[in-house]
Each structure stands twice: as C-alpha cells, then as structure tokens.
Amino acid sequence: MTQQSLADYADQGDPIAAPDGTCLFRPGDEGRAFLIVQSGVVRVEQTNAAGRTVVLYRVRAGDSCVLTTTCLLSGRPYSGYGYAEGAVTAVAISAARFQALMGRDAGFRELVFRGFAQRVGELTDVIDALLLHRTDLKLARWLSGQPAKVARTQQDIAQELGTAREVVSRTLKSFERSGWIAVERGTITVLDPAALENHGLQDGV
C-alpha cells in the first residue's frame, strides 16, 4: 500500500495560482484555507517592529504551512508573511472542509500533524541559529552551499540570515579581503568555497 500524502487530498479544495512576488498572507489575516502547494515555493517570514526580517521556512510542493495550520486550529490570525517565490500553484481547502477532514479522516489528521511537527523542528533550528551563532559563521556556511555566482542583493542575504544589511556588508568585505569571494553590485562570486566551509564549521559564540 502506497503511503498517503497531502497531494491525495487535492480534490477536497479549489485550485489557485499566484505569480512571483504575490503576498499570500500577512500579519492580521484570518486563516481562511489550508493550502497544499503543488508547484513553486512559498517563503514564510516575520518582521519585527524595527523592520528586521527573518525567513522562517519555505513551503515546497507537497508541503503545508505551519502558520496556516496554527491559524486554522487556534482561530488566531497570521503572525507572519507568505510570499510566492516564482509562480505558485496550490490547492486551497476551505477552513470548514479542513475542520471536517480533521474530525473524520485519521490519515489527513496524521499528515497535518506530521507536517506541523516537522516545521516546528525547523523553526527551532532557526531560533537556535539566531541566538547562538555569529553572523560571519552563518554567512560563510550559507555561501559555501551556493553556486559560484550568487545573484542576490545584500539586503536579500540579510533577510535570509535574519540580520541587518550593514552586518552582511561588513562581513562580505572581510571575506573579500581574505580572498574567499569577490563582490560586485548584486552579485557575489565564490572563489574559495572550502575556506568558507571551514570557517563556518567553527563553534559560534
């Protein structure tokens, strides 16, 4: 018997499509539907009062969103943002249908809670990284896993790592002086991924 997946419940909802950059939800929005992503990626992030943004996780094909699940189960509004990265297609299961499936379908309930638990684990990792590890180590590890040409702005990278653009800028200049990267406007060339990886493996403080 094949293992069930959320994709098996696509007929329980309505298809939706969102172009790149669409804001799918924002703080204060009510949870109106349980989304099952079919293609594309939804980036989920949070912004504090000072304007600092951190990427919490990404929802890919077959995944569900822990913030959406939380909203539907608790009745509380969204506390973060969800943006389409590239064109996104998904199935939207209405809140009423979601509650009905949770009540009567043990397989669906298991899939929802399994996805929820996985995302909570990822969020714990994000919090751990923010609290315990230096930005230079996080940035070195991130760059060592990228292609040779990284077409991202410093603001994009700061958002990805949950830090300030100025911190990323200073760290990149330090890496450039070490000969590990070359920085141009909107592009970073990784020259020595091994050195970046070794630097990133140090213990953070």
Side-chain angles (χ1 to χ4, degrees):
M1 182 177 178
T2 28
Q3 188 174 7
Q4 271 192 308
S5 70
L6 286 173
D8 295 331
Y9 291 87
D11 60 348
Q12 299 292 323
D14 299 313
I16 64 169
D20 180 38
T22 301
C23 182
L24 298 169
F25 55 81
R26 54 176 50 84
D29 286 353
E30 293 181 12
R32 300 182 182 277
F34 181 79
L35 291 183
I36 302 172
V37 175
Q38 295 178 307
S39 66
V41 176
V42 177
R43 184 181 74 251
V44 180
E45 59 189 43
Q46 200 150 25
T47 303
N48 66 13
R52 179 177 169 183
T53 298
V54 59
V55 176
L56 300 177
Y57 55 87
R58 285 177 168 83
V59 185
R60 305 180 191 278
D63 292 342
S64 60
C65 172
V66 69
L67 285 189
T68 299
T69 304
T70 301
C71 292
L72 291 170
L73 292 176
S74 69
R76 299 179 62 180
Y78 281 98
S79 59
Y81 295 87
Y83 292 100
E85 283 191 341
V88 169
T89 62
V91 170
I93 299 176
S94 70
R97 179 63 62 85
F98 172 81
Q99 297 293 352
L101 285 168
M102 288 292 286
R104 72 168 188 260
D105 190 323
F108 180 77
R109 192 164 56 245
E110 180 185 350
L111 289 168
V112 169
F113 283 129
R114 187 189 305 159
F116 188 90
Q118 180 180 342
R119 289 298 183 198
V120 168
E122 291 177 14
L123 287 174
T124 301
D125 291 341
V126 170
I127 293 168
D128 176 72
L130 289 173
L131 293 177
L132 301 179
H133 300 302
R134 296 182 342 218
T135 298
D136 64 313
L137 304 187
K138 289 194 292 182
L139 182 54
R141 287 193 295 270
W142 185 82
L143 284 169
S144 69
Q146 300 300 308
K149 291 282 187 181
V150 183
R152 300 283 290 275
T153 67
Q154 293 181 13
Q155 182 59 48
D156 288 340
I157 297 170
Q159 182 173 317
E160 185 76 30
L161 300 180
T163 188
R165 186 194 62 79
E166 294 77 11
V167 176
V168 168
S169 179
R170 288 197 300 270
T171 307
L172 289 174
K173 286 176 183 175
S174 171
F175 290 174
E176 190 170 35
R177 286 195 297 271
S178 297
W180 300 344
I181 62 171
V183 180
E184 300 173 40
R185 186 177 181 85
T187 305
I188 300 167
T189 303
V190 177
L191 303 174
D192 194 341
L196 289 166
E197 184 177 10
N198 288 336
H199 183 76
L201 290 175
Q202 299 179 56
D203 291 330
V205 295

